[in-house]
Amino acid sequence: MINKLRRRFILVAMFSTVVVLVAIVGGMNIMNYRQLQADADRINKMITDNNGTFPNNNGGGRNAPKPRDDNQSSDGGSTD
């Protein structure tokens, strides 16, 4: 009787754990899919709005190179 109850408890606990994990992983996959779709739609709209090309990034951004400061010398900062 005790062994049968123990076995049933273990099966219920394992099933519950699997259900929770499937819900978490499924939710993450759904969120990732929606974000991927939104990014793809945004990029397609940007390309469509610019006649099939990516626009120039003149406004800067995260990966834009920083402008060089003309007051600093390129030889390590020593000005004699």
Side-chain angles (χ1 to χ4, degrees):
M1 171 84 171
I2 296 295
N3 283 337
K4 190 174 182 180
L5 187 60
R6 181 185 300 164
R7 214 171 270 204
R8 185 177 295 168
F9 174 76
I10 290 172
L11 287 175
V12 169
M14 286 173 45
F15 179 73
S16 299
T17 303
V18 167
V19 167
V20 169
L21 288 174
V22 166
I24 290 172
V25 171
M28 288 173 38
N29 283 334
I30 289 171
M31 288 188 303
N32 187 31
Y33 177 76
R34 286 184 179 180
Q35 184 65 41
L36 185 68
Q37 285 296 112
D39 288 346
D41 290 342
R42 183 182 51 81
I43 290 171
N44 281 336
K45 181 166 176 25
M46 180 175 36
I47 291 172
T48 303
D49 291 344
N50 290 293
N51 297 324
T53 61
F54 281 105
N56 291 335
N57 191 9
N58 294 334
R62 283 191 296 182
N63 298 329
K66 295 182 180 175
R68 183 175 170 189
D69 187 8
D70 291 335
N71 295 333
Q72 293 179 349
S73 63
S74 61
D75 62 351
S78 63
T79 56
D80 291 327

